[in-house]
Amino acid sequence: MAKVQEENNWYDRIAWGVIIPVVLLSFVSFYSIYNASSNDSTYGTPVRTVVMQIVWYVICWTMVAFIMHFDAEQIFKLAPYLYGAGLVLLVLVLFLYDRSTAALSGAKSWFVVGPISFQPSEVMKPAYILQLARVVREHNQRYAHNLKNDWLLIGKVIAWFLPVGILLMLQPDFGTCLVFVAITAGILLVSGISWAIIVPVFVLMAVVGITAILLVFTKEGQTILSHYFKTYQLERIKSWSDPSGATSDSAYQLWQSMKAIGSGQVFGNGWNNIKVYVPVRNSDMIFSVIGETFGFVGGVSLIGIYLILIIQMVKITFDTKNAFYSYVSTGIIMMILFHVFENIGMSIDLLPLTGVPLPFVSQGGSALLGNMIGVGLILSMKWHNKDYMFSTAGDF
């Protein structure tokens, strides 16, 4: 009788607090892509680009419905295979990358088959999260927390990160590599390692970061950075430090983005009323469309939707009765948070340009697929939460 009653409560096992914000973001995506395509024919007609995005959303929601029926034990067992498949794709793209895309962007990051392009690093993100969560869970199950064992855990995590990081830098794709760093840092932060390690590492990273920023604003510093960054990456750094004075394409893109967002003022210019041209508006600079058409109010409202989504994900993380799930959800939250912060930050010159898309809004199937796989994993936590509430077997 209890089992029948639980099955009848399937509606309560669905994370509507996650689904509704994503649906809202999908409508923002359709609107923004249509507006952007109406004023820039680079990506095709407005109707075609929106239809393609809708098709990708249908594919992704189908994937979400499939993923959410896998429980923690099944996902735990699949993690190494998914990680391995992701590595294979990252290796293959170095040899089978699209030549025309590489000529434009300087990165060997994309497969292209006919009209469909695919970036394997996007689907590697959830696969990496699953494997890292598995590594942390296995370590914590075997070892007690002390400084020696905590350093051992950090070493294991770095060992799993290095193949991914090296392959991404060979493309090169520094922006995506930073996403993996953020995911790694988030999972390590909740892994239970000692604050005696976390605090010094955080201070060291802060010193390195501040030093790098100071180098950006001096000619001598830029000369030093030129030995470690590609030319186009250095141009992006220069455009960030002086968008009005730099002459590169990156500086022009950033300057136009800020002009577009500024022109929207408080309430925006209204439907399809785009007057400022911004390169790559459909994907990387999609926030400029929102800022120009909806203004400050629209930008803040969009951030509010993301905030609600993150809060709901955090709530599910606290409610879960499974340690492995909690590490997975932390990685997904860090992935989405970093994408939002970096994309909006680079659109308003708060951060350098990196080519990181805005989750669930930017045009592109592979980025959407990676984020929606994360949504599916979160929904799985909610769906199977009761299965682990009174079962120690679930907390493997």
Side-chain angles (χ1 to χ4, degrees):
M1 177 67 71
K3 183 174 180 60
V4 172
Q5 184 177 4
E6 182 177 327
E7 289 177 351
N8 291 335
N9 290 334
W10 64 268
Y11 182 89
D12 296 328
R13 299 175 68 181
I14 297 177
W16 297 108
V18 172
I19 292 175
I20 292 173
V22 174
V23 171
L24 291 175
L25 291 170
S26 71
F27 284 110
V28 174
S29 176
F30 304 149
Y31 167 86
S32 302
I33 290 172
Y34 183 90
N35 270 2
S37 301
S38 298
N39 294 270
D40 184 359
S41 60
T42 304
Y43 296 92
T45 63
V47 174
R48 181 183 180 278
T49 53
V50 172
V51 168
M52 285 299 298
Q53 189 75 351
I54 292 173
V55 169
W56 272 111
Y57 256 106
V58 171
I59 294 171
C60 288
W61 277 118
T62 304
M63 180 71 73
V64 167
F66 177 72
I67 292 172
M68 67 178 287
H69 287 88
F70 284 79
D71 62 23
E73 184 175 0
Q74 293 169 322
I75 296 171
F76 186 88
K77 291 177 180 178
L78 285 172
Y81 301 102
L82 297 174
Y83 176 88
L87 282 184
V88 170
L89 289 175
L90 290 180
V91 171
L92 288 177
V93 79
L94 294 175
F95 301 97
L96 305 177
Y97 63 91
D98 180 60
R99 266 58 181 177
S100 59
T101 303
L104 292 173
S105 65
K108 306 170 185 177
S109 306
W110 296 84
F111 292 117
V112 174
V113 180
I116 299 175
S117 59
F118 181 74
Q119 190 174 10
S121 60
E122 295 295 340
V123 294
M124 182 61 188
K125 292 172 187 175
Y128 176 75
I129 290 170
L130 292 179
Q131 180 58 21
L132 219 60
R134 176 186 170 114
V135 169
V136 172
R137 184 66 191 101
E138 286 183 326
H139 177 90
N140 286 343
Q141 191 175 34
R142 178 177 295 184
Y143 300 100
H145 278 291
N146 55 51
L147 289 180
K148 178 183 177 180
N149 291 336
D150 287 351
W151 279 113
L152 177 62
L153 174 59
I154 292 173
K156 290 179 180 178
V157 168
I158 292 174
W160 286 100
F161 168 79
L162 281 178
V164 180
I166 291 170
L167 289 171
L168 287 173
M169 295 311 295
L170 288 175
Q171 291 183 6
D173 192 345
F174 185 67
T176 301
C177 190
L178 288 178
V179 177
F180 282 87
V181 171
I183 291 169
T184 305
I187 294 178
L188 276 176
L189 190 63
V190 299
S191 66
I193 63 176
S194 172
W195 284 95
I197 296 175
I198 293 176
V199 172
V201 170
F202 178 81
V203 171
L204 177 63
M205 291 176 62
V207 170
V208 172
I210 292 172
T211 302
I213 291 173
L214 292 176
L215 289 174
V216 169
F217 293 95
T218 63
K219 290 184 178 180
E220 294 79 6
Q222 291 178 4
T223 301
I224 295 173
L225 292 176
S226 66
H227 297 294
Y228 301 96
F229 292 92
K230 299 288 185 179
T231 301
Y232 79 94
Q233 293 173 329
L234 193 61
E235 288 298 329
R236 287 180 173 182
I237 294 173
K238 290 179 179 178
S239 65
W240 169 60
S241 62
D242 186 16
S244 61
T247 58
S248 66
D249 292 340
S250 298
Y252 176 73
Q253 183 185 38
L254 175 57
W255 188 247
Q256 292 298 104
S257 173
M258 291 191 293
K259 283 174 63 178
I261 294 170
S263 71
Q265 299 185 48
V266 179
F267 297 106
N269 298 321
W271 168 265
N272 205 20
N273 190 12
I274 293 179
K275 300 177 181 179
V276 181
Y277 170 72
V278 181
V280 201
R281 193 199 303 264
N282 288 40
S283 53
D284 296 348
M285 290 299 176
I286 198 73
F287 187 73
S288 68
V289 178
I290 298 164
E292 188 170 1
T293 56
F294 287 122
F296 176 79
V297 172
V300 171
S301 299
L302 178 67
I303 294 172
I305 296 174
Y306 281 118
L307 180 61
I308 292 171
L309 175 62
I310 295 300
I311 289 173
Q312 291 299 316
M313 287 183 170
V314 170
K315 184 177 183 298
I316 292 173
T317 303
F318 281 115
D319 289 344
T320 186
K321 310 302 176 185
N322 184 280
F324 171 68
Y325 264 155
S326 66
Y327 300 138
V328 171
S329 60
T330 299
I332 294 166
I333 290 168
M334 287 300 298
M335 177 180 71
I336 295 174
L337 266 178
F338 185 87
H339 274 81
V340 173
F341 183 72
E342 173 59 32
N343 183 275
I344 295 177
M346 73 181 188
S347 298
I348 59 177
D349 197 31
L350 182 64
L351 296 169
L353 292 172
T354 57
V356 172
L358 189 60
F360 312 108
V361 177
S362 291
Q363 180 185 3
S366 51
L368 180 62
L369 182 61
N371 287 317
M372 290 297 281
I373 290 173
V375 170
L377 292 169
I378 295 288
L379 294 183
S380 169
M381 296 176 203
K382 177 73 172 181
W383 183 260
H384 295 284
N385 188 40
K386 288 185 179 180
D387 298 344
Y388 300 119
M389 190 170 292
F390 304 107
S391 172
T392 56
D395 192 24
F396 48 81

